[in-house]
Amino acid sequence: MNQPAAAPARSPVRTTPFPGLPPRFDGKEMEYLREALAQNSLFYNRPDGLVARMLKRACQTFNAPHAVATSSGTASLHVAVAASELPPGSEVITSPITDMGTCIAILYQNLVPVFADVDPETYNITAESIKAVMTERTRAVIAVHLTGAPCDMDPIVAFCKAKNLSLIEDCAQALGASYKGKSVGTLGRYGAYSLNDFKHLSCGDGGVVLAGNEADYLLAHNYADKFYDRAGKGVRLTKLGANYRMTELQGAVALAQFERLESIASKRNRLGDRLSSAISGIPGVIPYRVVPGAKSSYWFYMFRIDPAVLGVDRDEFSRRLNAEGIPAGGGYVAKPMCHEPVFLNKAFFPGGVWPAEKVAGKTYDYAKVRVPVCDTVLTTSIRMPLHEGMSEVDVDDAAKAIRLVAGDLARR
Ligand SMILES: *Cc1c(COP(=O)(O)O)cnc(C)c1O
């Protein structure tokens, strides 16, 4: 019989399938949905409505003074960027490893995305990498807490303060994560969350923006609801805002979901940290690193290999893990955001006109942007599922397989 190349001589580490996500919705969601429908109105702006109760719960969970509900994570980011009220043509520094939503928020405000390189073990931008791409046009930073692992925030907060930059946290992948005892999303001016169906909590689509003070909150509220000023003094339509409202239906589901966050995030944190320590010290294997004082909520688990040490690329390493019965595959995205076609061609608006660049009076060439560490991360990282439906046995099997595969390769 022909043996596939990657098949181990021994029997595979794991012969039973990995568990999928457990059921995410139950009677609680249904109860709140019924309450929403019984109101005879699904409009969000009611004092005891489901969106209001969800926001209250979110504020308690995050220990944040104010929150605004939105229709998506992208909407949350757009509201946060718009409410930072930056002059068109300003530069906003963010990560080249992120969801397009981060850049949509920048581009639709007629601002210019600038990409800072990432740390090789946290996969996040750092104060140093931000500093390296800062110019006299920089007005804001969007720190993306990729995979649920917080950026090293103290130096980033200090840098943004010193340079008077608006600091926005993209917490879409980091529900339940914290930095030095504070929830992510409360460390900068605004924190943007997503409740889309792939995130820790789902209400189908939705989002939350955290604000640290009343003035910032009112601005975000208005930018999320057409500047009808429903939360303020009734001074309407003073500025331009989109309609990013959440309905009571999403609010109902999101309220029930927030009640589960602590158990979801703590389970993921425990399993992810367990996996990292189990695969530390293996030659050629570079575990996921969480910065000191931070807690990751592990949206997924990502680690890297050093092909120079192991003599294979990450695709071969993944195939060998698969042969051991472990789900694993190539990292999070295929290329740095700055090298996606929309950036290479600056195809942001029809007709090849990019108003932000015109206003800036400066030409941007994303093909020339170099993010070498990001390139290394994206070509050497392996992604594995990690969620609350898994157990210690599952992560221990994954760790055992990584150790065996790396050991086999090192012996060749
Ligand atoms: C999911 C995600 C978004 C966008 O959220 P949507 O709800 O899909 O609009 C933005 N940034 C990051 C890092 C994300 O993972």
Side-chain angles (χ1 to χ4, degrees):
M1 202 178 79
N2 272 341
Q3 287 268 40
R10 73 191 99 76
S11 56
V13 167
R14 176 81 176 212
T15 49
T16 54
F18 266 61
L21 261 191
R24 308 172 80 187
F25 312 109
D26 66 14
K28 209 72 199 172
E29 278 79 2
M30 193 57 89
E31 178 192 326
Y32 292 149
L33 280 167
R34 283 184 203 287
E35 279 183 46
L37 293 168
Q39 293 172 165
N40 209 32
S41 163
L42 297 175
F43 192 61
Y44 78 103
N45 202 30
R46 29 191 320 128
D48 300 315
L50 279 303
V51 169
R53 285 158 60 190
M54 180 278 289
L55 290 174
K56 206 172 193 181
R57 175 83 197 201
C59 284
Q60 283 166 359
T61 301
F62 299 130
N63 195 19
H66 304 280
V68 173
T70 70
S71 51
S72 71
T74 303
S76 297
L77 286 156
H78 192 184
V79 163
V81 173
S84 296
E85 304 203 310
L86 312 171
S90 305
E91 295 175 355
V92 180
I93 296 171
T94 192
S95 174
I97 313 181
T98 190
D99 181 89
M100 186 59 190
T102 317
C103 298
I104 290 169
I106 301 169
L107 291 162
Y108 271 109
Q109 277 313 108
N110 272 313
L111 302 163
V112 177
V114 169
F115 297 95
D117 209 350
V118 298
D119 177 276
E121 291 171 29
T122 67
Y123 325 127
N124 285 327
I125 61 172
T126 65
E128 294 76 54
S129 74
I130 292 167
K131 199 169 166 188
V133 294
M134 162 107 190
T135 74
E136 70 287 346
R137 311 195 70 88
T138 308
R139 294 289 177 272
V141 170
I142 304 182
V144 180
H145 305 299
L146 198 80
T147 75
C151 297
D152 194 6
M153 290 303 285
D154 278 350
I156 294 177
V157 169
F159 183 77
C160 289
K161 272 217 174 92
K163 303 289 182 188
N164 198 23
L165 308 177
S166 183
L167 174 57
I168 295 164
E169 296 176 77
D170 181 342
C171 309
Q173 300 185 7
L175 271 156
S178 65
Y179 180 83
K180 301 193 176 173
K182 291 180 179 165
S183 287
V184 294
T186 63
L187 299 148
R189 183 169 178 191
Y190 288 113
Y193 281 89
S194 168
L195 301 170
N196 88 20
D197 204 54
F198 309 101
K199 300 293 156 59
H200 296 70
L201 306 181
S202 165
C203 68
D205 268 308
V208 169
V209 184
L210 302 183
N213 62 59
E214 170 116 22
D216 283 350
Y217 158 72
L218 288 173
L219 264 184
H221 196 291
N222 281 334
Y223 275 104
D225 191 1
K226 300 188 281 191
F227 258 91
Y228 274 27
D229 203 29
R230 290 181 225 272
K233 309 265 183 289
V235 186
R236 292 156 60 97
L237 299 180
T238 48
K239 294 171 189 172
L240 176 65
N243 172 359
Y244 285 144
R245 297 187 304 244
M246 177 183 277
T247 79
E248 288 286 271
L249 295 175
Q250 279 81 20
V253 175
L255 173 60
Q257 290 279 292
F258 264 107
E259 293 172 4
R260 303 176 203 281
L261 179 58
E262 213 188 342
S263 91
I264 290 173
S266 62
K267 178 95 184 270
R268 287 181 183 232
N269 175 262
R270 199 153 40 79
L271 293 178
D273 284 358
R274 184 184 178 98
L275 181 50
S276 288
S277 46
I279 63 169
S280 70
I282 304 174
V285 173
I286 306 153
Y288 175 117
R289 187 169 73 87
V290 180
V291 295
K295 272 190 169 175
S296 172
S297 59
Y298 294 94
W299 187 43
F300 56 87
Y301 191 88
M302 197 153 93
F303 68 101
R304 289 177 44 226
I305 62 153
D306 185 344
V309 171
L310 297 174
V312 296
D313 64 12
R314 63 101 183 270
D315 294 328
E316 175 59 21
F317 197 96
S318 298
R319 275 193 292 275
R320 286 169 181 247
L321 286 179
N322 297 157
E324 296 289 354
I326 307 299
Y332 171 55
V333 288
K335 49 182 135 178
M337 181 59 80
C338 39
H339 298 155
E340 292 288 355
V342 65
F343 280 95
L344 292 179
N345 303 322
K346 293 188 279 186
F348 308 129
F349 297 93
V353 180
W354 182 21
E357 194 178 46
K358 283 225 152 142
V359 176
K362 185 173 163 186
T363 306
Y364 292 88
D365 185 352
Y366 287 102
K368 291 210 176 99
V369 174
R370 290 288 166 265
V371 280
V373 182
C374 171
D375 292 333
T376 303
V377 167
L378 294 182
T379 51
T380 58
S381 53
I382 295 173
R383 174 181 179 159
M384 301 197 331
L386 195 136
H387 57 73
E388 61 277 14
M390 291 168 57
S391 68
E392 275 81 1
V393 173
D394 299 320
V395 297
D396 291 353
D397 283 347
K400 188 175 173 195
I402 291 168
R403 190 171 286 280
L404 283 172
V405 167
D408 285 349
L409 289 166
R411 268 193 299 279
R412 288 194 312 180

